[in-house]
Amino acid sequence: MEIINTNKAPEALGPYSHATVVNGLVYTSGQIPLNLEGEIVSDDVKEQTKQVLENLFVVLKEAGSDLDNVVKTTIFISDMNNFQYINEVYGSYFDKHQPARSCVEVARLPKDVKVEIELISKVK
């Protein structure tokens, strides 16, 4: 098992790593829309989704993978009414390669953000 942390993604908010690599798969921790300074990028759900995916991209890169090798994503959203806006941004990152996905509305997310995403990816 390999623990992955990178200084190109926001620091973890607790005692966990950005990702773990096991048997050729990368399991990321959920990412929320924080910039490198640990600040929420915007109140806009599209901007939040973009930042989350950018954070995940750099974590995958550190782990030797990329978005084209993602096999499963899980999206947690605070309001299902934002589903279409999140899909717009998500679809721009996963336009040709469309991994399996779950999306669930939750009561609350860390720092009261609107979206959190975690994923599983193959190592390249």
Side-chain angles (χ1 to χ4, degrees), residues 43-45 48 76-78 82 86 109 112-116:
D43 191 48
D44 179 74
V45 71
Q48 287 195 9
F76 305 94
I77 60 178
S78 61
N82 287 325
I86 291 166
L109 290 166
D112 293 317
V113 298
K114 296 178 180 180
V115 61
E116 178 176 1

Side-chain angles (χ1 to χ4, degrees), residues 34-50:
L34 300 179
N35 61 23
L36 288 176
E37 290 76 37
E39 301 164 341
I40 299 169
V41 294
S42 170
D43 191 48
D44 179 74
V45 71
K46 287 183 176 182
E47 289 298 316
Q48 287 195 9
T49 304
K50 180 180 179 195

Side-chain angles (χ1 to χ4, degrees), residues 16-77:
Y16 56 89
S17 60
H18 286 130
T20 305
V21 179
V22 179
N23 297 327
L25 292 174
V26 180
Y27 298 86
T28 71
S29 294
Q31 287 288 314
I32 61 173
L34 300 179
N35 61 23
L36 288 176
E37 290 76 37
E39 301 164 341
I40 299 169
V41 294
S42 170
D43 191 48
D44 179 74
V45 71
K46 287 183 176 182
E47 289 298 316
Q48 287 195 9
T49 304
K50 180 180 179 195
Q51 183 66 50
V52 167
L53 291 164
E54 290 295 322
N55 291 346
L56 286 166
F57 177 75
V58 297
V59 170
L60 285 178
K61 187 174 180 180
E62 185 72 22
S65 189
D66 58 29
L67 294 174
D68 289 335
N69 285 287
V70 172
V71 295
K72 171 78 166 74
T73 65
T74 305
I75 303 174
F76 305 94
I77 60 178

